Amino acid sequence: GYTKKEASAKKESFTVAIMQPNTHKLLLEGAPAAIARSITKQIKGLEGKGAKFIIWPESSLYGTFQTGDFFDFMQASSVALNAYQLVGSAYEDAKGDYVSAGLFGQEGILDVYHKNKLVPFGEFLPLNNIFGGVYKDLAVTSFTGDFLEGKTAAKVFELDINNGAKTNKYKFGASICFESLFPNIWRKQAQNGAQFFVNISNDGWFGDTAAPYQHLRINVLRAVENGRAILRSANTGVSAWIDERGKVRFQTALNTQATAVFSFNFQTDAKKTFYTLYGDIFAIICLVISLSALIYTIVFLNTGTYD
């Protein structure tokens, strides 16, 4: 059970909707009309549910943030439902294309996070400045596109949530798919004031394997390391709510369309954990001790002669 300290921690809640559209196959087939019908039906199911924050996964809608239909749908549904929406897609600016998470409100795009850790050969070609000619000669291309790496790992979004007569400001950090494997991104966001995390992903690439469940479990580590809850939306699953202690409060079934609407209860005044403050210092100390012991063994205990 919870300790007295945990029980007295400040907890607040607001209604959240985690969307699992299961549109990966339609995206691969290039079927934007079918995706639009499916997504529209799913969003209509939120009418009257009171969701303040709607979370869509990576690669759930067809197109990019600036695409007319994409932008219009997100803004119109935010207006109709009076809710924020976070969605993953490609984002284009003067420098190039990014894999991004965009926060939408009634005014349109409010803020954007660009993915800091891209998938090699999936989202970019490693050392392209050196091996570009070789890649070209061998017809090697990045599977989903040639994207730029974001530089704002500590990016924190803000929500102004109205609960009755009171409006509260909440901060959260976002990560995209592969970034679950990089704890320093989450740590930087927690240091920058994130009160909870959102992870969006498209695990449809994994098919019917153990990988989607492994990906979910990696998120559990990130929650425990920083003492902050995680809301996870994956296109084909597994979507979940993980609390600040690493307990999976619920999870969806794989390869199904699902909508989870619930009261998200989380600790808003969580202190920075040892890991948030000091990172991998304990592991580094253990490594130094281990290497020192190994060197001592080699140098001082293996100097005898044998007849």
Side-chain angles (χ1 to χ4, degrees):
Y2 287 95
T3 65
K4 288 183 178 180
K5 182 177 180 180
E6 290 171 325
S8 63
K10 183 181 179 183
K11 292 252 185 177
E12 293 186 19
S13 64
F14 59 91
T15 304
V16 168
I18 293 181
M19 315 299 280
Q20 182 173 300
N22 196 33
T23 55
H24 178 73
K25 184 178 179 181
L26 294 175
L27 284 166
L28 294 181
E29 293 173 351
I35 292 173
R37 288 193 297 270
S38 178
I39 293 292
T40 300
K41 182 178 180 180
Q42 192 174 16
I43 197 73
K44 283 185 176 296
L46 291 179
E47 293 178 358
K49 299 292 181 64
K52 302 291 186 180
F53 184 33
I54 303 165
I55 304 169
W56 296 92
E58 180 187 27
S59 305
S60 54
L61 282 73
Y62 197 85
T64 65
F65 289 127
Q66 294 95 336
T67 302
D69 291 343
F70 190 128
F71 180 92
D72 293 343
F73 172 82
M74 294 301 296
Q75 183 178 22
S77 53
S78 290
V79 171
L81 296 170
N82 189 25
Y84 290 100
Q85 297 188 83
L86 187 77
V87 62
S89 185
Y91 184 91
E92 181 182 359
D93 67 11
K95 296 180 181 179
D97 296 331
Y98 300 86
V99 178
S100 304
L103 182 65
F104 278 78
Q106 298 186 44
E107 302 83 6
I109 300 176
L110 303 177
D111 210 346
V112 179
Y113 165 77
H114 300 316
K115 190 174 183 180
N116 280 246
K117 297 293 183 179
L118 300 174
V119 180
F121 297 102
E123 295 168 335
F124 79 107
L125 294 175
L127 301 175
N128 194 34
N129 58 327
I130 299 174
F131 299 112
V134 177
Y135 291 144
K136 185 177 180 179
D137 292 341
L138 297 177
V140 176
T141 60
S142 180
F143 189 69
T144 61
D146 188 16
F147 295 97
L148 299 176
E149 189 177 76
K151 303 296 182 183
T152 54
K155 176 73 177 181
V156 172
F157 292 93
E158 291 189 357
L159 303 175
D160 290 323
I161 302 295
N162 182 271
N163 282 320
K166 186 179 180 182
T167 298
N168 295 319
K169 187 181 294 293
Y170 302 116
K171 296 182 178 181
F172 72 92
S175 61
I176 304 173
C177 192
F178 183 60
E179 293 185 317
S180 295
L181 281 68
F182 298 91
N184 202 41
I185 292 176
W186 304 64
R187 176 174 168 253
K188 287 180 178 179
Q189 293 172 355
Q191 288 178 330
N192 205 25
Q195 296 166 300
F196 64 95
F197 298 118
V198 175
N199 176 244
I200 60 174
S201 184
N202 179 13
D203 290 353
W205 305 106
F206 297 132
D208 295 319
T209 67
Y213 300 100
Q214 293 170 341
H215 211 177
L216 170 66
R217 291 300 165 182
I218 291 171
N219 278 251
V220 171
L221 299 177
R222 304 292 87 88
V224 173
E225 286 168 349
N226 296 283
R228 279 151 177 76
I230 298 174
L231 299 171
R232 185 171 197 267
S233 175
N235 195 330
T236 57
V238 178
S239 302
W241 168 19
I242 304 167
D243 70 19
E244 58 270 11
R245 300 171 68 209
K247 179 180 179 181
V248 180
R249 302 290 292 271
F250 78 81
Q251 66 183 62
T252 62
L254 194 63
N255 297 323
T256 60
Q257 186 177 90
T259 301
V261 183
F262 58 94
S263 179
F264 174 47
N265 184 271
F266 65 104
Q267 189 173 327
T268 57
D269 62 344
K271 304 299 182 183
K272 292 182 175 64
T273 65
F274 182 90
Y275 184 81
T276 301
L277 292 172
Y278 303 108
D280 295 318
I281 185 66
F282 180 73
I284 293 171
I285 291 173
C286 290
L287 178 62
V288 170
I289 292 174
S290 297
L291 289 176
S292 299
L294 178 61
I295 293 171
Y296 178 84
T297 301
I298 294 172
V299 175
F300 295 102
L301 299 184
N302 196 31
T303 58
T305 59
Y306 297 90
D307 293 333

